Amino acid sequence: MMLTGLKAQATEYVTDVMVIGAYSSSEVSSLESTYQAQGWKLIDYDLNKGCGYSSHDIYLLYKTGTNVEEAITDLYLWSSDTNTSEDSFILNGRTYRRATCDGDDDFEESKGDLNKGASGKYIFVYYTTDNTNFSPARAITSITINNESVYSVGPNGNIFYACDLNI
């Protein structure tokens, strides 16, 4: 008889998010390479795709880890007519922080506006690691982006709503 041991796989949770952007595609490629070498996962979809020649190329990256206490539990997209985004805000007892951004000077000055150069509303990514109001705590394990205009239902019946990132 042979006895073999199986190694349990740890669940990976999203622990950090970042947006990168630049007018120059070569600068974006350089940023992608740098951050991927540091363990960031790139969602290979330009959030400003189809917004014209003067718009920035913008991508979302995320990091994962195995500690559920560090996991992001919610993402929030804030749109505004003015570039007056706060570094953080409280909603329903949970503190949301604006995602870090990196890129050319224009993109960094815009604080990571997902609509940079597209002549629309300002849109920012916020996240929280707070578990308040959720029992058991929920944790995000991956992030996907598609070009659908309707909501979808994910694992465990979670509902994901569409948000136009080019308002």
Side-chain angles (χ1 to χ4, degrees):
M1 178 186 330
M2 184 174 192
L3 180 64
T4 60
L6 295 176
K7 184 177 179 182
Q9 293 245 339
T11 300
E12 294 269 322
Y13 303 102
V14 175
T15 58
D16 203 357
V17 291
M18 166 187 274
V19 289
I20 58 170
Y23 184 69
S24 158
S25 58
S26 63
E27 186 169 353
V28 170
S29 292
S30 175
L31 287 165
E32 289 173 356
S33 296
T34 298
Y35 284 109
Q36 286 179 312
Q38 296 173 13
W40 290 86
K41 297 178 183 188
L42 170 75
I43 298 175
D44 195 16
Y45 189 88
D46 179 3
L47 301 179
N48 246 354
K49 184 177 182 176
C51 287
Y53 181 72
S54 64
S55 68
H56 279 58
D57 293 345
I58 300 173
Y59 292 87
L60 184 69
L61 294 92
Y62 65 95
K63 267 195 165 179
T64 59
T66 57
N67 185 349
V68 71
E69 298 299 319
E70 296 174 355
I72 291 176
T73 56
D74 199 14
L75 295 171
Y76 188 91
L77 297 173
W78 177 6
S79 67
S80 173
D81 291 326
T82 60
N83 190 6
T84 57
S85 71
E86 301 293 327
D87 291 336
S88 65
F89 65 91
I90 297 174
L91 178 66
N92 297 328
R94 304 171 81 202
T95 301
Y96 287 79
R97 292 172 290 289
R98 187 177 52 237
T100 305
C101 71
D102 195 5
D104 63 22
D105 290 342
D106 240 10
F107 188 68
E108 287 189 38
E109 186 177 304
S110 78
K111 302 178 185 177
D113 173 22
L114 299 184
N115 238 1
K116 184 64 185 157
S119 302
K121 291 187 178 222
Y122 295 89
I123 303 173
F124 302 94
V125 176
Y126 285 82
Y127 68 94
T128 186
T129 56
D130 291 351
N131 288 318
T132 309
N133 302 328
F134 298 105
S135 181
R138 64 181 183 187
I140 295 175
T141 56
S142 67
I143 300 173
T144 59
I145 295 173
N146 64 41
N147 59 0
E148 299 295 320
S149 61
V150 297
Y151 74 89
S152 61
V153 178
N156 302 323
N158 295 332
I159 297 176
F160 303 95
Y161 294 96
C163 179
D164 184 352
L165 299 181
N166 304 123
I167 299 173

